[in-house]
Amino acid sequence: MDQLLQALVNGVMLGGFYAIMVLGFSIIWGVMGVINLAHGEFVMMGAYGAWILQESLGLDPLVSVFIVFPVMAAFGYAIQRLIINRIIERPHLISLLVTFGLASIISNVFKLLFTATPRSVEASIHGLWQVGPVTIPKTRSMILIAALIIMYSLHMFLKHTRLGKSIRAAAQNREAARIVGIEINKVYAITFAIAIGITAVAGVMVAPVQPVFPFMGPPLTLRAFAITALSGLGSIIGALFGGMLLGIIEVLLATFIPGIGTNVGIVSSFVILVIVLVVRPQGLFGGLKAATT
Amino acid sequence: MRGGTTFRKVSLGLLVAAIVGLATLPMIQRYATDGGFVTNSTLFNFTQMFMLIIVASSWNLTGGFTGYVDFGHGVWFGIGAYGTGVLMSKLGWPFPVAVAGAVAITVLAALLLGGPILRLRGPYFSIAMLATFVAVREIIRIVKPITGGGIGLTLPPYLNRPLFFYITLILAVVVVAFTWWLRRTQFGLTLIAIREDEIGADMRGINTTLHKITVFGLSAAITGLVGALWAYQNTFIDPDIVFVDSRTMDVIIAVILGGLGTVAGPVIGAVVLFWARDIIWANFLQFHLIVQGIVLIAIVLWVPEGIVGTFSDRSGGTTLGRLMSKRKGEPSSDEAVGSPDDEPRTVSS
């Protein structure tokens, strides 16, 4: 029982990271219709950002967030203008191929710069809280809290600012958005920048609890895809619940099935994805329709 | 330009000459003084190139003809390689029987997986295959008693470069001829119909599921066979060298470089990619995956027709060329009618 409770708590913590990690992927897909296979690589860049800032300036990840976000948002803006902008209105295959190439470039550039050696980042808030029979790692709970704060801010931004409303308008109907005078290309570039900024922040947050290496991206991309397909495109609350669900399932499997360790996470998310898409093509939260024939 | 038949005859003649020329390479090595200009590594390189041609052609069956773009094709290669590895090193089967067994295992896996996965389409299929690739790699790591886990398996060594050279050369000729023939059969036309309009094909009474699963299994079988040969040639397999991420990317680049959905495309693309990569490798080993990524993006954005599409005067073009000129909302191979993008997308909380 205690073990189950502990597994659930760990699952929720992991789910917090997945939720913030998946947001950017979900928004880019929802607004631009681009499936970004380089998503995990942007998480990896954020994690390396945390490592570089700690090695050179001794910064805590919580501080690094405020440097990494604008830098990566600017990088995202440039990538959007250079590459993504050309593939927005194309069929999905094109965006898959292009971002697949982008992923290969980014991860191998990082391997070249920093070698494949796994790096670790220290957070100043670490240790454990003991609540009854359950131990709560402090760093992981910080990730969860940060995820909730970021999600709430993003929600307020999309609901109540002019730019946020333009983004939602562009997602709903690009032609109509254009007619009412929204500069759609600008909106796309800013959306991509914000999404990449948030994705990199997820990388900064996860750096203290996971080894940082150039090829950490692909499994994260696959999880992002699985969660988005489960929860619906561009849905913030869906990302939260989808992330939690996947986190809890992964931890439960790793806890109660002996001998499979943590690598099984990607296998379980894949199995869940295929089962859900085949059994319930519209996704758990009704986000996606007609994923199957 | 007039004289299309002359052009065809000339290129067919050149092709036959090239195949015959290649077939003499091991002879030259054997009978010329000091092997002439042919070394073991020449034969090895050509063997690798034939393997790329075969795998690219088989990928093109699903990705190019049927419009189901597979981002995890390396999984069949891996299952074929591990099939041979396990059957030979654990059960002591002789090589030909083990290869047959490995292909049977690959086909079985493809048929089992194909059922659910081929119900997905467009990007969902592509990414489900990518996930299959990663998942199978992890499963192979986990099932240590059978696969040796991360330590890998050692096969009985058998270093006979000319043998592998001839096997893969013959196989390449057979597979490419087969795709050429298949493209002209009723079955091949049906695949194209599925690519162009799956729902329409279904409406006209075509059993699309059966066709998709058949071509999926066929493609897996061919790639699994290559994986099986590769494992024995390499004599050592572990998850990291068998399930290399770049293997799938090589295949995709080869096909779209040559021309997606054409018979000659995979062959030309594979040959060009193989030797171009050899040059990149020799000069900038560290950069080769970066360069490959840049090449992939550049081809998709600027030369989507590939080599075949760019230099042929046939109208219609290649699959990717037509996709690249197509906007969302128009029915195409990738987005059949009623795809998720027809629904208004919303961002909400």
Side-chain angles (χ1 to χ4, degrees), chain B residues 48-101:
Chain B
Q48 300 299 104
M49 187 185 85
F50 299 148
M51 286 181 173
L52 187 59
I53 292 174
I54 301 163
V55 176
S57 291
S58 80
W59 186 87
N60 195 37
L61 289 177
T62 46
F65 292 167
T66 324
Y68 276 71
V69 177
D70 181 345
F71 274 74
H73 199 67
V75 73
W76 311 125
F77 184 94
I79 293 176
Y82 262 94
T84 329
V86 171
L87 292 177
M88 286 183 79
S89 70
K90 298 270 168 179
L91 302 181
W93 290 19
F95 174 64
V97 190
V99 167

Side-chain angles (χ1 to χ4, degrees), chain B residues 99-253:
Chain B
V99 167
V103 172
I105 293 170
T106 316
V107 172
L108 192 66
L111 296 183
L112 286 177
L113 272 167
I117 286 185
L118 284 166
R119 294 188 60 196
L120 307 173
R121 66 179 174 194
Y124 298 90
F125 171 79
S126 303
I127 297 191
M129 283 309 299
L130 184 58
T132 309
F133 177 78
V134 178
V136 169
R137 179 169 58 195
E138 292 311 323
I139 290 169
I140 288 203
R141 259 194 252 272
I142 291 166
V143 219
K144 286 199 185 77
I146 301 171
T147 62
I151 302 156
L153 291 173
T154 308
L155 284 78
Y158 182 73
L159 292 170
N160 186 345
R161 297 263 183 255
L163 177 72
F164 287 110
F165 179 91
Y166 279 122
I167 293 178
T168 49
L169 174 63
I170 293 166
L171 203 57
V173 172
V174 169
V175 166
V176 174
F178 174 73
T179 56
W180 178 84
W181 170 79
L182 190 77
R183 174 70 181 73
R184 274 151 187 80
T185 58
Q186 178 81 42
F187 185 84
L189 290 173
T190 310
L191 297 183
I192 308 279
I194 291 174
R195 179 183 83 193
E196 295 303 321
D197 184 356
E198 184 163 349
I199 292 171
D202 208 24
M203 294 292 180
R204 280 168 186 79
I206 292 172
N207 188 342
T208 52
T209 313
L210 183 70
H211 279 84
K212 286 192 293 183
I213 292 184
T214 310
V215 76
F216 192 65
L218 196 62
S219 168
I222 297 170
T223 306
L225 177 57
V226 174
L229 294 173
W230 184 88
Y232 193 39
Q233 187 197 37
N234 204 54
T235 70
F236 172 76
I237 51 173
D238 77 16
D240 289 319
I241 60 169
V242 173
F243 291 86
V244 192
D245 293 315
S246 59
R247 201 182 303 285
T248 308
M249 190 156 97
D250 283 352
V251 174
I252 296 175
I253 293 180

Side-chain angles (χ1 to χ4, degrees), chain A residues 24 61-62 156 201 209:
Chain A
L62 281 178
M156 296 311 275
V201 166
V209 296

Side-chain angles (χ1 to χ4, degrees), chain A residues 28 34-42 44-45 75-76 78-80 82-85 87 94-110 192 196 214, chain B residues 71 249 253 289-298 300:
Chain A
I28 291 170
V34 169
I35 301 174
N36 180 15
L37 283 188
H39 185 75
E41 276 64 32
F42 290 112
M44 179 270 289
M45 288 178 81
F75 179 73
I79 290 283
Q80 203 280 346
L82 268 176
I83 299 172
I84 306 296
N85 210 15
I87 58 172
I94 307 288
S95 71
L96 288 177
L97 289 172
V98 167
T99 53
F100 195 53
L102 189 62
S104 173
I105 298 173
I106 296 176
S107 57
N108 286 290
V109 165
F110 271 70
F192 199 81
I196 295 305
Chain B
F71 274 74
M249 190 156 97
I253 293 180
L289 284 170
I290 301 171
V291 175
Q292 246 167 273
I294 295 171
V295 168
L296 177 59
I297 294 177
V300 174

Side-chain angles (χ1 to χ4, degrees), chain A residues 25 27 29-35 37 82-83 86-94 96-102 104-105 108-109 112 155 158-159 167-168 170-174 188 215 218-219 222 225 229 233-237 259-260 263-264 266-267 270 273-274 277-279 288-293, chain B residues 59 68-69 71 113 116-124 126-132 134-136 138-139 141-142 198-199 212 245 248-249 252 256 260 286-287 289-294 296-297 300-302 319-320 323-328 332-335 338-341 343-349:
Chain A
F25 183 86
I27 289 172
W29 190 354
V31 175
M32 277 170 255
V34 169
I35 301 174
L37 283 188
L82 268 176
I83 299 172
R86 297 168 195 270
I87 58 172
I88 282 177
E89 289 167 53
R90 308 295 179 195
H92 278 136
L93 171 60
I94 307 288
L96 288 177
L97 289 172
V98 167
T99 53
F100 195 53
L102 189 62
S104 173
I105 298 173
N108 286 290
V109 165
L112 210 59
H155 167 73
L158 288 173
K159 266 276 182 309
I167 291 173
R168 286 191 295 140
Q172 275 173 16
N173 189 331
R174 44 181 295 122
Y188 281 156
F215 300 107
L222 290 175
F225 185 86
L233 306 182
S235 159
I236 295 178
I237 200 82
I260 53 176
N263 277 341
V264 82
I266 191 65
V267 181
F270 159 67
L273 172 70
V274 172
L277 287 182
V278 170
V279 176
L288 290 180
K289 295 193 172 69
T292 65
T293 46
Chain B
W59 186 87
Y68 276 71
V69 177
F71 274 74
L113 272 167
I117 286 185
L118 284 166
R119 294 188 60 196
L120 307 173
R121 66 179 174 194
Y124 298 90
S126 303
I127 297 191
M129 283 309 299
L130 184 58
T132 309
V134 178
V136 169
E138 292 311 323
I139 290 169
R141 259 194 252 272
I142 291 166
E198 184 163 349
I199 292 171
K212 286 192 293 183
D245 293 315
T248 308
M249 190 156 97
I252 296 175
I256 68 168
L260 182 69
Q286 303 263 330
F287 297 94
L289 284 170
I290 301 171
V291 175
Q292 246 167 273
I294 295 171
L296 177 59
I297 294 177
V300 174
L301 292 184
W302 291 298
T319 315
L320 194 67
L323 280 182
M324 198 55 195
S325 60
K326 201 161 257 172
R327 300 202 161 230
K328 281 224 173 94
S332 73
S333 63
D334 181 43
E335 327 268 321
S339 78
D341 276 351
E343 306 292 330
R345 294 189 296 267
T346 50
V347 170
S348 69
S349 49

Side-chain angles (χ1 to χ4, degrees), chain A residues 128-147:
Chain A
L128 302 164
W129 281 306
Q130 193 71 36
V131 184
V134 179
T135 44
I136 300 176
K138 289 184 187 174
T139 322
R140 284 180 185 271
S141 48
M142 291 306 295
I143 300 177
L144 181 59
I145 293 165

